[in-house]
Amino acid sequence: MAAKSLLLLDEVLAAVDGIHVLGGHNFCFTSVQTDSRNVEKDTLFVPLIGENQDGHKYCQSACEKGASVIFIAQQNFEKDSQYFVDISRLYPDVYFIAVENTMTALQKAAERYVEKFPSLIKIGVTGSSGKTTTKEIAASILSQKYKVITNKGNFNSETGLPLSVFNIREEHEVGLFEMGMNRENEIGEIAAVLKPSYAIVTNIGTAHIGKLGSRENIAREKSKVFDYLNTFGTGFIPKDDDFADFMADYIDGNGHAVFYGQDCDESVKFLQDKGLDGTEIQIGDYKAVLSLPGKYNFKNALAAIALAKYLSVSDEQIAKGIESLKPMFGRSQVLHGKYTIVQDCYNANPDSMEKAIDFVSSVTSSRKKIFVLGDMLELGDSSKADHEAAGIQALNSSADLLIFAGDEMKSAYEKVIGDEKFKSAENKTVKYFSGHSDETVQEICNAVTDFAQPGDIILIKASRGMGLERITEKLEGNK
């Protein structure tokens, strides 16, 4: 029984500095969850303590669903030991392990688990924007040569990354994991879990600048993905980023720095911008079409190609990997139907908003263009200025109809309608809708359909929390 457990009891206790306080029979867990709703048989449940929620209140629910091991915070156990004793009496086979901090314990257990795969090629991908796309392109390419495990979607946080690495199995040859951050040293913490020997930084933008204070601080935090290169590893850095030298200096002596970008590798050439149909690329003697449109996605592909070449993936395999890539939900999806919809509403920050507006604006077309721009969430003190900047960029774009949606986008709308260029414009219509309720979504759809003709191009761009994919569903007649 114990042989199939992801970790043995002694390994767990040593890794998390834990104390086995209650229950237990045959120690075994085959999955790890922090959400009790996802618990199944033989799950390690890790209740997290947040600002508004304490996961410990779901311990009994986790046991009911089949949890076999539970980490509990020492302070919770000392404060209300009877609560846990009562649960243990109902579920005597469940191991309760007391730890100082459940989040830290999750990360330490994940770190110990990764150590069980010494031959795994470990790769980290981070950056202010484009990291999920870069990870997916790299995964598609590397899968032509290796058996690859990667995190799903953007499961890349202080909890998402540790949960993701528990999916590594013996058959995997490459572990490719995206790393995100919302606070100081989050990259440092999750890099310590994976300890990547190879790492890509996509760019240093302004996402989370409200929390970190400056782009230099962001660059310093992102560079922590290079902390475990250990002299033989390699960091891949965008040559055209103004913090490229900063990152290279950070690596200096701790590994190799490789710059990527257009003209960095003579064997990789840009052939043709196919507009909404993507970008044609040449890799050595092979051609491939990257289905994700936009120059910024071509740059993401260059990062993935540079990594793949370093890992001895052939030009033919790289081309095949690029050709086989499928657009991800909400990320630069081009949907052809009554309207041509560019759905890019999985995430949004000032960098990705600027790139999306710039790309769709640059598409040559005789059709009208409609931009539906929703809130960029979690920008902090810079939110008003960032939304205003997005509004002015949209005003100066080739869009015929601008729709601003959400509470934060009100700043963009007000900035635009007060601008002298808008007051003198005859071919620009601007509308604003507050919130992101179902009623708001319907009002936006009505405004779009009243204006648009079949074949027109519609950009939908916002943070995931806005749920603007509902607009696409309605426009396509799915709901």
Side-chain angles (χ1 to χ4, degrees):
M1 185 75 172
K4 73 170 187 174
S5 184
L6 297 182
L7 289 170
L8 303 178
L9 176 60
D10 288 347
E11 291 175 318
V12 171
L13 294 178
V16 305
D17 195 19
I19 303 170
H20 175 202
V21 291
L22 289 170
H25 179 50
N26 290 317
F27 186 85
C28 175
F29 69 95
T30 56
S31 63
V32 184
Q33 297 289 346
T34 57
D35 187 333
S36 63
R37 295 170 294 184
N38 297 328
V39 168
E40 55 189 15
K41 187 177 184 299
D42 290 336
T43 293
L44 162 59
F45 174 58
V46 184
L48 303 177
I49 302 174
E51 292 182 9
N52 304 311
Q53 185 96 283
D54 186 342
H56 287 82
K57 68 180 181 180
Y58 299 108
C59 286
Q60 183 165 334
S61 174
C63 290
E64 292 170 357
K65 289 177 174 288
S68 56
V69 183
I70 297 181
F71 288 167
I72 56 175
Q74 184 70 41
Q75 63 178 15
N76 288 59
F77 184 64
E78 292 173 355
K79 183 178 179 180
D80 191 5
S81 60
Q82 192 60 48
Y83 167 73
F84 298 102
V85 169
D86 290 343
I87 297 175
S88 184
R89 284 173 178 164
L90 291 172
Y91 302 93
D93 291 345
V94 178
Y95 281 77
F96 284 81
I97 297 174
V99 298
E100 183 175 349
N101 180 289
T102 54
M103 171 75 76
T104 302
L106 170 65
Q107 294 174 349
K108 291 295 184 182
E111 178 183 351
R112 178 66 186 91
Y113 182 69
V114 173
E115 290 172 358
K116 296 171 78 74
F117 305 92
S119 62
L120 185 74
I121 299 171
K122 297 177 292 184
I123 305 165
V125 180
T126 192
S128 294
S129 61
K131 50 188 175 290
T132 302
T133 301
T134 301
K135 178 203 67 179
E136 293 295 333
I137 298 172
S140 186
I141 293 172
L142 294 176
S143 293
Q144 305 303 314
K145 179 180 176 68
Y146 300 101
K147 293 180 180 177
V148 179
I149 178 70
T150 185
N151 38 4
K152 296 179 181 179
N154 66 339
F155 226 51
N156 62 13
S157 65
E158 59 189 354
T159 56
L161 187 281
L163 291 173
S164 294
V165 302
F166 276 112
N167 292 317
I168 298 170
R169 296 294 182 266
E170 288 290 346
E171 67 267 21
H172 295 130
E173 298 169 296
V174 170
L176 173 63
F177 295 96
E178 173 187 343
M179 299 179 178
M181 70 175 190
N182 286 299
R183 58 171 176 79
E184 186 177 352
N185 201 41
E186 188 168 0
I187 294 293
E189 289 177 12
I190 59 182
V193 172
L194 182 64
K195 296 183 174 64
S197 298
Y198 301 90
I200 293 172
V201 174
T202 59
N203 63 348
I204 303 300
T206 57
H208 311 302
I209 199 167
K211 296 179 181 179
L212 294 171
S214 68
R215 287 184 66 221
E216 182 173 336
N217 288 340
I218 293 171
R220 187 173 292 106
E221 290 298 320
K222 294 292 185 183
S223 294
K224 290 179 181 179
V225 73
F226 302 132
D227 281 351
Y228 298 91
L229 301 184
N230 293 330
T231 69
F232 62 84
T234 304
F236 297 86
I237 299 168
K239 185 178 181 180
D240 63 354
D241 196 285
D242 49 2
F243 281 89
D245 291 338
F246 178 98
M247 290 185 278
D249 289 342
Y250 187 98
I251 292 174
D252 188 35
N254 188 41
H256 307 288
V258 171
F259 294 103
Y260 69 85
Q262 199 156 359
D263 302 325
C264 284
D265 183 345
E266 292 183 357
S267 69
V268 181
K269 296 182 175 65
F270 169 88
L271 293 181
Q272 181 184 1
D273 182 353
K274 299 175 73 69
L276 295 176
D277 293 324
T279 304
E280 188 175 19
I281 308 171
Q282 182 157 342
I283 308 99
D285 295 329
Y286 299 90
K287 295 179 181 179
V289 174
L290 176 69
S291 60
L292 306 177
K295 293 179 181 178
Y296 53 99
N297 282 321
F298 172 57
K299 180 180 175 182
N300 293 334
L302 292 177
I305 292 169
L307 169 70
K309 282 177 168 285
Y310 219 79
L311 294 176
S312 303
V313 181
S314 71
D315 291 346
E316 182 179 9
Q317 290 170 323
I318 291 171
K320 187 176 179 181
I322 290 172
E323 285 281 355
S324 63
L325 179 71
K326 298 293 188 292
M328 296 155 285
F329 166 77
R331 293 181 182 273
S332 302
Q333 278 181 294
V334 180
L335 307 169
H336 296 283
K338 180 178 180 181
Y339 310 108
T340 299
I341 300 175
V342 181
Q343 180 173 268
D344 196 343
C345 54
Y346 197 91
N347 192 19
N349 58 48
D351 303 304
S352 65
M353 180 68 76
E354 179 182 351
K355 289 172 181 175
I357 294 171
D358 180 63
F359 164 64
V360 180
S361 181
S362 70
V363 172
T364 302
S365 175
S366 61
R367 310 304 311 182
K368 289 184 176 179
K369 295 177 185 176
I370 299 160
F371 289 2
V372 181
L373 308 179
D375 287 353
M376 299 178 283
L377 303 175
E378 300 179 2
L379 297 186
D381 294 340
S382 66
S383 183
K384 185 175 186 294
D386 288 335
H387 282 86
E388 288 178 346
I392 294 301
Q393 184 193 1
L395 173 63
N396 292 323
S397 74
S398 61
D400 301 285
L401 169 62
L402 297 178
I403 295 178
F404 297 106
D407 300 332
E408 299 295 323
M409 273 295 174
K410 186 176 182 181
S411 298
Y413 171 72
E414 291 176 344
K415 185 74 172 178
V416 166
I417 61 174
D419 191 275
E420 289 301 322
K421 183 172 181 178
F422 171 69
K423 293 176 181 178
S424 61
E426 297 180 357
N427 60 343
K428 197 80 75 172
T429 303
V430 180
K431 294 181 180 293
Y432 169 70
F433 299 91
S434 62
H436 58 277
S437 66
D438 288 342
E439 291 75 14
T440 294
V441 166
Q442 186 59 60
E443 290 174 353
I444 293 171
C445 288
N446 294 341
V448 170
T449 54
D450 286 346
F451 184 90
Q453 297 295 318
D456 285 353
I457 299 170
I458 302 170
L459 167 65
I460 303 175
K461 176 68 178 176
S463 284
R464 183 72 184 88
M466 291 292 290
L468 293 194
E469 69 276 5
R470 291 171 293 168
I471 296 172
T472 303
E473 292 169 352
K474 288 181 178 295
L475 292 176
E476 291 194 320
N478 296 331
K479 286 190 180 181

